[in-house]
């Protein structure tokens, strides 16, 4: 199981809403060689984290893919290509963005280097990842920490909850 977090808080290249950019990115994930999109979470409206003051709200979700990932770095490069096609720019850390794709986990793989670090080093600290993750992989256990998704979410219970976006 491969888990990808999706997010956006700027309009797309054709002025489409961030949720539409995220939906298109989820469809693009299903075209990655050797992987099949098996589930996409609900979409959530979330507060920006570590972003400049006045940054727009984010749309966030998580996709679950199945298939072999022989090279996580190649998968990360493919995610960056999807971001670039959506107009992603990186003017400074945590800048508002048209699309953000984060590789959260590849099965039980744990690695500190080279990039990508797996599982994602901040995923367990972010409700905007964990809440949508519960939609697609409720039994997930963090492979490095050995903690269940329920335990990780409980540890963040005081953080603002992402708001599900109605269909």
């Amino acid at each position: 199981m491969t888990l990808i977090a999706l997010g956006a808080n700027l309009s797309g290249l054709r002025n489409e809403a961030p949720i539409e950019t995220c939906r298109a990115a989820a469809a693009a994930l299903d075209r990655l060689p050797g992987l099949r999109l098996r589930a996409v979470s609900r979409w959530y409206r979330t507060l920006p984290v570590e972003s400049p003051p006045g940054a727009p709200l984010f749309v966030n979700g998580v996709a679950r893919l199945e298939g072999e990932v022989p090279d996580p770095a190649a998968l990360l490069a493919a995610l960056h290509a999807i971001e670039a096609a959506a107009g992603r720019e990186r003017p400074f850390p945590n800048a508002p963005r048209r699309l953000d794709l984060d590789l959260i986990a590849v099965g039980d793989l744990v690695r500190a280097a080279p990039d990508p670090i797996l599982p994602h080093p901040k995923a367990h600290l972010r409700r905007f990842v964990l809440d949508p993750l519960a939609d697609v992989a409720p039994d997930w256990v963090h492979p490095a920490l050995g903690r269940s998704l329920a335990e990780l979410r409980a540890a963040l219970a005081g953080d603002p909850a992402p708001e599900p976006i109605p269909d």
Side-chain angles (χ1 to χ4, degrees), residues 23-48:
R23 286 179 175 142
L29 294 174
D30 197 37
R31 295 188 294 272
L32 292 172
L35 293 170
R36 284 287 120 332
L37 181 65
R38 294 297 183 216
V40 178
S41 70
R42 293 176 288 174
W43 299 106
Y44 292 81
R45 191 170 291 109
T46 64
L47 296 172

Side-chain angles (χ1 to χ4, degrees), residues 3 123-127 129-143 145-158:
L3 300 167
H124 66 286
L125 303 173
R126 296 176 167 168
R127 281 199 66 179
V129 171
L130 298 181
D131 284 15
L133 180 56
D135 290 344
V136 298
D139 297 327
W140 185 70
V141 174
H142 192 288
L145 302 176
R147 296 177 66 197
S148 72
L149 180 56
E151 291 172 313
L152 296 172
R153 290 176 74 200
L156 301 179

Side-chain angles (χ1 to χ4, degrees), residues 90-102:
R90 299 174 189 270
F92 55 88
N94 301 312
R97 58 207 75 152
R98 287 190 169 109
L99 181 62
D100 186 28
L101 299 175
D102 285 332

Side-chain angles (χ1 to χ4, degrees), residues 79-91:
L79 298 181
H80 287 169
I82 294 169
E83 289 177 340
R88 169 79 187 258
E89 298 175 350
R90 299 174 189 270

Side-chain angles (χ1 to χ4, degrees), residues 47-120:
L47 296 172
V49 175
E50 300 174 1
S51 292
L57 294 176
F58 270 85
V59 170
N60 286 102
V62 170
R64 186 185 83 231
L65 295 92
E66 300 293 338
E68 292 300 315
V69 178
D71 182 5
L75 175 55
L76 182 61
L79 298 181
H80 287 169
I82 294 169
E83 289 177 340
R88 169 79 187 258
E89 298 175 350
R90 299 174 189 270
F92 55 88
N94 301 312
R97 58 207 75 152
R98 287 190 169 109
L99 181 62
D100 186 28
L101 299 175
D102 285 332
L103 181 54
I104 301 303
V106 175
D108 292 333
L109 182 61
V110 175
R111 66 187 232 172
D115 271 347
I117 297 168
L118 291 170
H120 187 287

